[in-house]
Amino acid sequence: VIAVLVGRPKDAWDDQVVSKIVEAMEEATDRYRCPAAKCAHRRGDFPVATTGVSHGGGRKASAGATHNAAVVHRLVRNPALGRLGHFTASAYALAAPSLYQYSYDTLEELQNAYPNLEPPFAQGPWACSAFNLGGRAYSKEHTDHLNCPFLWCCITALSSFDHRAGRQLVLWDLNLVIDFPAGSTIFIPSALLRHSNLAIQPHERRYSFVQWSAGALFRWAELGYKSAKE
């Protein structure tokens, strides 16, 4: 098993979680000042607001990765997002316990060593997260090649759309086209599998929330918080 569509809880998920997060992301879309590289990029043509802990790209030590900090912090503090974070972490622990434990332990040790670093969720298995804004977020064929290759990233589809008429997730290397309903979450090794989404219909809106960990961050931690050269 290398990918799992974990779906969604059976409670009032739409009203209590999905709609609240979408409302916050619509507000953030209006307030977000998008750098050119964050609005049109190899993953698609939509604004991306990122936060969390990363490494590499010229950074000598781990650092937060945020743009428009006030907008992102407002999103992260949303109680509905906290519920989503708890659900996705619990689902990851159930679907892939070894991967979850390795990720959780590494990030816990990192926070103990560097208390000033702030992952998106205080007790979660992913170091970074991204809010795909704009209301028409669907990705082009790509791999997230800087992610830790053996870990799974977490993708949650948001808003309201007909998942049978668009927004399916395509895993090109596996020849799979997967129905991906709003409010659902899927785990995939995004560094290894080429993936994309089909477009939604012109009158529909679609956002997504993605969680992942950079490979360089885990390598840095494994080497005792030193670079490979050191």
Side-chain angles (χ1 to χ4, degrees), residues 134-203:
R136 296 197 58 80
Y138 49 89
S139 65
K140 303 173 183 176
E141 181 185 346
H142 69 286
T143 59
D144 299 297
H145 58 277
L146 297 181
N147 291 3
C148 189
F150 56 85
L151 295 179
W152 293 349
C153 83
C154 174
I155 308 168
T156 302
L158 297 164
S159 197
S160 177
F161 50 84
D162 184 351
H163 64 273
R164 296 162 298 183
R167 183 47 189 93
Q168 287 88 349
L169 178 68
V170 182
L171 300 180
W172 292 86
D173 304 290
L174 306 182
N175 293 322
L176 289 176
V177 179
I178 303 167
D179 283 345
F180 194 6
S184 296
T185 291
I186 193 168
F187 302 137
I188 65 170
S190 62
L192 303 180
L193 295 180
R194 292 177 297 138
H195 55 284
S196 64
N197 298 114
L198 301 184
I200 57 175
Q201 297 181 79
H203 63 280

Side-chain angles (χ1 to χ4, degrees), residues 64-75:
T66 63
H67 298 271
N68 291 246
V71 177
V72 175
H73 289 165
R74 185 178 177 87
L75 283 168

Side-chain angles (χ1 to χ4, degrees), residues 4-229:
V4 177
L5 177 62
V6 299
R8 49 189 287 154
K10 293 182 179 180
D11 60 7
W13 194 243
D14 278 335
D15 292 338
Q16 296 179 5
V17 177
V18 176
S19 64
K20 301 296 185 185
I21 297 175
V22 169
E23 182 180 332
M25 292 179 76
E26 287 177 344
E27 178 186 348
T29 295
D30 293 336
R31 299 174 61 222
Y32 187 70
R33 298 296 173 261
C34 188
K38 290 284 180 178
C39 286
H41 40 85
R42 66 183 185 83
R43 293 177 179 84
D45 299 324
F46 50 85
V48 180
T50 59
T51 186
V53 180
S54 192
H55 188 67
R59 287 184 290 270
K60 298 300 183 182
S62 187
T66 63
H67 298 271
N68 291 246
V71 177
V72 175
H73 289 165
R74 185 178 177 87
L75 283 168
V76 171
R77 290 194 299 267
N78 189 296
L81 190 75
R83 282 195 61 187
L84 175 60
H86 179 75
F87 166 69
T88 54
S90 299
Y92 194 27
L94 181 64
S98 297
L99 299 183
Y100 169 86
Q101 200 63 53
Y102 171 73
S103 299
Y104 183 93
D105 290 346
T106 301
L107 293 179
E108 185 178 49
E109 292 169 6
L110 178 68
Q111 285 184 275
N112 290 337
Y114 295 88
N116 60 312
L117 299 177
E118 296 183 5
F121 300 106
Q123 294 182 318
W126 293 284
C128 280
S129 64
F131 299 89
N132 294 328
L133 304 173
R136 296 197 58 80
Y138 49 89
S139 65
K140 303 173 183 176
E141 181 185 346
H142 69 286
T143 59
D144 299 297
H145 58 277
L146 297 181
N147 291 3
C148 189
F150 56 85
L151 295 179
W152 293 349
C153 83
C154 174
I155 308 168
T156 302
L158 297 164
S159 197
S160 177
F161 50 84
D162 184 351
H163 64 273
R164 296 162 298 183
R167 183 47 189 93
Q168 287 88 349
L169 178 68
V170 182
L171 300 180
W172 292 86
D173 304 290
L174 306 182
N175 293 322
L176 289 176
V177 179
I178 303 167
D179 283 345
F180 194 6
S184 296
T185 291
I186 193 168
F187 302 137
I188 65 170
S190 62
L192 303 180
L193 295 180
R194 292 177 297 138
H195 55 284
S196 64
N197 298 114
L198 301 184
I200 57 175
Q201 297 181 79
H203 63 280
E204 293 179 325
R205 303 283 286 172
R206 189 256 174 190
Y207 299 88
S208 64
F209 180 64
V210 182
Q211 302 173 79
W212 78 95
S213 296
L217 178 68
F218 281 70
R219 181 170 62 249
W220 181 67
E222 290 275 7
L223 294 174
Y225 307 114
K226 293 181 174 63
S227 68
K229 182 177 180 180

